[in-house]
Amino acid sequence: QQRGDVMSAMLILNGVPVLAASPPRKNAAGKIRVGVMTTLLGTHTDAHFTASHIDHLDREQFHIILYVFKATGHALERHCVARAEQLVVLPYGGVLAQAERIRADDLDILLFGVNQSAMAHPPALLGCLRLARTQVATVSSPVTTGLRQVDVMLSAANNEIPEGAQSHYTEKLWLMPESVNVYAYQYDVEPATRNFSRTNLGISDGATVFFSGANFFKIIPELSLTWAKILAGVPNSVLVLMPFNPNWSDSFRAAPFSDRINAQFSTLGISRDRLRIIDPVPTRADLFQIVAAADVYLDAYPFAGACSMLDPIIMAVPAVVRSGTVGRSLHGASLMRMTGIDEVICTSEESYISTAIDLALDPARRARIRSALVAVNRRQPPPYFDTRTYSSKVGEALSAIHAEYLAPYLTFRSDTRQAKCRKLQELADAVLPRSLELSALNDIGTVQSLVTPYFRHLKTARQLHMVDVGACHGELAEPLLASGWTADLFEPDPKARTTLEHTAKKYGSRCRIFGMAVSNSAVREVAFHQAQTGLSGLGESPFGATESLITVPCTRLDTFYDEHNVKFVDFLKIDAEGFDFDVLASHDFNVMRPSLVMVEYGTHFERESLPVINEAIARMADAGYGSVVLNYYDDGNFSQGKFIYRLTHILIGQPLPDFGRVAFGNILFYRADDVDFLLTLYALLDSCQPRAATRP
């Protein structure tokens, strides 16, 4: 969980918009849009596990989009593509580009079929971002992802402890019936590339062979010592390991690993020649030949095998497994319960050792278990390959997860406006103190995470238009311009305008720049204070001395609209360094009614006292606009010339109170009858709620 918070903080500090409001689609009664992400669709174990989730999902109910980081052309990829509407290879260029590509698909559910807990790779970083309405991890992640934007962990009853499993996850734990251990390996038809036998491995026919395909990282010292104790109890036995699985890493500390096990053997009087450590083989068919040479398979614990435990079952080799007290310790036991062979499931080290020794010394018992496994493997399909049944369980789970997501929105939509505002205020008060992402939401983040998703949700047919007073370098306008908007950008500061013009160049004629100020007076020119800090305006800046005083053209907004044939404004943004409400007063709301107006305020400016701010909120209410105040605190940074601050209050339809200190921030004004905006705000706040009670 702390790791997830560190990754989120890193992304925020690098300007990545972590949050993005995702209210229900307006045609929510249609197919559920499901994205499925995996690293690639090829030989990787996660790929076959993920394929089992979608193999027979109902295409009448789900619209499926596959996301990979690399196309393989592999047979499994072709098979999965036939089960989906689209395969998307996520672009190179970093998490931001990948996130925008996924967000463009307007997903209801994003299923992460990849291990997000192993490293800070792109799939884990993407799990820190809000990319879909509901984000679901699978047990490809062996433990909780710890990521704030992953809502659900999809598991099953046999893979979790009966009581208290939820406390192991920051996600909401969603249990399907029976087991998750179903894999689409029936589509792996790669042939063997070589012949393996005991002779190849240098093992005599009379020896008892213990084998484990557990990965290097699972074979901790306590486990290898347990295995040594087993060998000590079985004369003429050999332990064969294949620990260097390339799906986990391309680099292993092999020499210290073998030295440690040999040292443990030595303490128990076991000779070094009873250990065989072999390299990975090209195909599963090759692996099956090695497994077939074994008498007893030893599953790992506490990190139990999943795909690796499937191999001895398929090859009808008796296995010993140990169940534990967390999900990751239950996969081997889950697979054995699937076969109906519970007698090899152990609950302690002692029983694990005694069961392994007994199997090694009792050929009749091994033969009986082999026969039972052969019978399981002859079923059509075997339970571990029954992707049709498993996909139907996944489909039922995803449908129920989506219905659970929709339920509060349906209630919210039917509430009165007063009830909506009350719910929003309660939600804001609950999530803001403990949401890293929300407290870091500045003005740019507000546009990226709330304003842009709101307009995307509206799906307006015509091209949308923004007016930005105090555009500076264009950071707030750019998300909208990138979405196809047009914009009129006001920036009277020549220094800032140089950068702004460079930013706007890529948008061509859709973006007009005006080197003029905006005021509530009819004057055509005004004095403009260029401050050393760059926070320039029509008066002295409280954050730095005036570097130069220049004369710039000036206009009123209503005059500008008439003179430049502006027929509509969808989003009006004002950042005029202490003259914000003067600019606001120059817009005639009787003539033109933007969907959203965003106005900066700050009581450190002479013209923006608390009464002035609250009077503006009241005037906008009279004009038919509700308000959302986003108030910040700088923690003393501004006095040091560091413009770093955090969001401390969200006030829904309330005047700004006296905090006993300087107040500054932004006010979002929305049309009072606009339910869509309130739904979008609800979605933003809701995405910051903890999904499980474990998060403080």
Side-chain angles (χ1 to χ4, degrees), residues 308-331:
S308 59
M309 257 304 299
L310 187 59
D311 302 326
I313 292 173
I314 292 173
M315 298 311 297
V317 174
V320 183
V321 304
R322 179 178 171 185
S323 65
T325 57
V326 293
R328 187 65 264 179
S329 299
L330 293 169
H331 288 288

Side-chain angles (χ1 to χ4, degrees), residues 206-226:
T208 301
V209 177
F210 294 98
F211 175 74
S212 182
N215 183 264
F216 170 91
F217 298 106
K218 298 182 182 181
I219 305 174
I220 59 176
E222 294 86 347
L223 178 60
S224 55
L225 180 59
T226 296

Side-chain angles (χ1 to χ4, degrees), residues 99-432:
E100 286 305 306
R101 177 60 192 85
I102 297 170
R103 284 169 176 160
D105 286 327
D106 195 24
L107 298 175
D108 293 308
I109 295 172
L110 178 57
L111 185 75
F112 291 101
V114 61
N115 188 345
Q116 295 177 288
S117 62
M119 62 186 74
H121 58 354
L125 293 173
L126 286 168
C128 296
L129 311 182
R130 178 55 55 178
L131 305 174
R133 293 169 176 85
T134 305
Q135 301 186 173
V136 180
T138 68
V139 294
S140 287
S141 294
V143 295
T144 182
T145 68
L147 305 177
R148 290 172 181 257
Q149 297 301 314
V150 178
D151 306 297
V152 174
M153 175 63 75
L154 186 62
S155 187
N158 287 349
N159 299 87
E160 305 293 339
I161 59 175
E163 301 291 336
Q166 178 61 75
S167 66
H168 302 162
Y169 297 94
T170 57
E171 309 85 0
K172 177 174 182 176
L173 181 60
W174 196 284
L175 295 181
M176 297 181 291
E178 300 176 322
S179 172
V180 298
N181 300 108
V182 177
Y183 308 91
Y185 274 118
Q186 65 267 41
Y187 305 121
D188 182 356
V189 294
E190 292 186 78
T193 64
R194 61 192 74 175
N195 292 319
F196 289 96
S197 66
R198 289 190 174 202
T199 302
N200 300 139
L201 299 173
I203 301 173
S204 66
D205 288 340
T208 301
V209 177
F210 294 98
F211 175 74
S212 182
N215 183 264
F216 170 91
F217 298 106
K218 298 182 182 181
I219 305 174
I220 59 176
E222 294 86 347
L223 178 60
S224 55
L225 180 59
T226 296
W227 288 348
K229 293 175 182 177
I230 292 170
L231 261 69
V234 182
N236 194 27
S237 61
V238 176
L239 175 63
V240 179
L241 302 177
M242 186 183 285
F244 306 130
N245 187 335
N247 287 328
W248 284 70
S249 176
D250 57 5
S251 178
F252 296 93
R253 292 179 57 80
F257 175 76
S258 60
D259 289 347
R260 180 244 294 173
I261 298 178
N262 280 316
Q264 291 174 328
F265 276 25
S266 178
T267 62
L268 295 177
I270 303 169
S271 65
R272 297 170 67 96
D273 62 1
R274 293 175 66 183
L275 175 67
R276 303 284 193 281
I277 298 177
I278 58 179
D279 291 329
V281 292
T283 69
R284 292 183 77 244
D286 293 327
L287 173 61
F288 287 161
Q289 295 183 63
I290 298 172
V291 175
D295 297 293
V296 178
Y297 186 88
L298 299 175
D299 186 28
Y301 71 81
F303 198 138
C307 292
S308 59
M309 257 304 299
L310 187 59
D311 302 326
I313 292 173
I314 292 173
M315 298 311 297
V317 174
V320 183
V321 304
R322 179 178 171 185
S323 65
T325 57
V326 293
R328 187 65 264 179
S329 299
L330 293 169
H331 288 288
S334 173
L335 275 161
M336 295 315 300
R337 289 193 175 95
M338 188 184 292
T339 67
I341 304 173
D342 293 5
E343 65 182 271
V344 297
I345 301 173
C346 307
T347 57
S348 68
E349 181 189 21
E350 292 74 17
S351 62
Y352 181 92
I353 292 172
S354 62
T355 301
I357 292 174
D358 184 69
L359 279 172
L361 299 178
D362 189 344
R365 185 182 182 190
R366 293 203 308 270
R368 175 173 53 78
I369 293 175
R370 283 183 185 274
S371 296
L373 288 172
V374 168
V376 170
N377 295 335
R378 286 175 176 168
R379 295 181 198 170
Q380 292 300 321
Y384 45 79
F385 286 165
D386 188 2
T387 56
R388 182 176 297 278
T389 299
Y390 185 67
S391 291
S392 69
K393 295 176 184 176
V394 172
E396 290 171 3
L398 295 181
S399 180
I401 288 168
H402 185 56
E404 187 172 278
Y405 156 81
L406 286 175
Y409 288 92
L410 296 174
T411 302
F412 185 85
R413 184 178 283 278
S414 65
D415 284 338
T416 64
R417 180 167 178 269
Q418 290 76 13
K420 289 184 178 73
C421 291
R422 185 171 61 252
K423 279 187 178 180
L424 287 169
Q425 190 63 65
E426 291 171 354
L427 184 54
D429 292 343
V431 299
L432 181 54

Side-chain angles (χ1 to χ4, degrees), residues 289-579:
Q289 295 183 63
I290 298 172
V291 175
D295 297 293
V296 178
Y297 186 88
L298 299 175
D299 186 28
Y301 71 81
F303 198 138
C307 292
S308 59
M309 257 304 299
L310 187 59
D311 302 326
I313 292 173
I314 292 173
M315 298 311 297
V317 174
V320 183
V321 304
R322 179 178 171 185
S323 65
T325 57
V326 293
R328 187 65 264 179
S329 299
L330 293 169
H331 288 288
S334 173
L335 275 161
M336 295 315 300
R337 289 193 175 95
M338 188 184 292
T339 67
I341 304 173
D342 293 5
E343 65 182 271
V344 297
I345 301 173
C346 307
T347 57
S348 68
E349 181 189 21
E350 292 74 17
S351 62
Y352 181 92
I353 292 172
S354 62
T355 301
I357 292 174
D358 184 69
L359 279 172
L361 299 178
D362 189 344
R365 185 182 182 190
R366 293 203 308 270
R368 175 173 53 78
I369 293 175
R370 283 183 185 274
S371 296
L373 288 172
V374 168
V376 170
N377 295 335
R378 286 175 176 168
R379 295 181 198 170
Q380 292 300 321
Y384 45 79
F385 286 165
D386 188 2
T387 56
R388 182 176 297 278
T389 299
Y390 185 67
S391 291
S392 69
K393 295 176 184 176
V394 172
E396 290 171 3
L398 295 181
S399 180
I401 288 168
H402 185 56
E404 187 172 278
Y405 156 81
L406 286 175
Y409 288 92
L410 296 174
T411 302
F412 185 85
R413 184 178 283 278
S414 65
D415 284 338
T416 64
R417 180 167 178 269
Q418 290 76 13
K420 289 184 178 73
C421 291
R422 185 171 61 252
K423 279 187 178 180
L424 287 169
Q425 190 63 65
E426 291 171 354
L427 184 54
D429 292 343
V431 299
L432 181 54
R434 56 186 175 181
S435 173
L436 169 73
E437 298 86 351
L438 197 59
S439 65
L441 200 67
N442 58 17
D443 51 357
I444 298 172
T446 299
V447 172
Q448 293 171 325
S449 302
L450 179 60
V451 174
T452 302
Y454 160 70
F455 283 107
R456 185 184 298 136
H457 169 71
L458 292 182
K459 297 189 181 299
T460 308
R462 64 169 174 79
Q463 191 172 40
L464 300 176
H465 185 66
M466 173 188 188
V467 171
D468 187 347
V469 180
C472 195
H473 297 156
E475 296 98 331
L476 270 74
E478 190 151 22
L480 300 173
L481 285 165
S483 300
W485 285 48
T486 58
D488 289 325
L489 310 181
F490 291 88
E491 182 46 63
D493 188 339
K495 290 182 179 179
R497 199 162 61 246
T498 300
T499 304
L500 177 62
E501 288 169 349
H502 178 76
T503 301
K505 188 180 298 183
K506 69 182 82 169
Y507 303 110
S509 61
R510 290 195 288 112
C511 184
R512 301 188 296 186
I513 297 175
F514 298 90
M516 59 174 61
V518 179
S519 171
N520 193 28
S521 66
V523 298
R524 288 295 183 172
E525 288 185 340
V526 291
F528 186 79
H529 296 252
Q530 284 188 297
Q532 293 174 343
T533 58
L535 299 177
S536 306
L538 299 183
E540 288 275 0
S541 173
F543 307 117
T546 298
E547 190 175 65
S548 60
L549 191 64
I550 62 175
T551 300
V552 300
C554 186
T555 185
R556 288 174 52 88
L557 284 177
D558 50 14
T559 303
F560 172 83
Y561 301 149
D562 290 339
E563 292 177 348
H564 291 83
N565 197 33
V566 177
K567 299 299 182 184
F568 47 83
V569 177
D570 298 288
F571 179 42
L572 171 60
K573 170 258 174 181
I574 301 171
D575 178 0
E577 296 302 312
F579 285 76

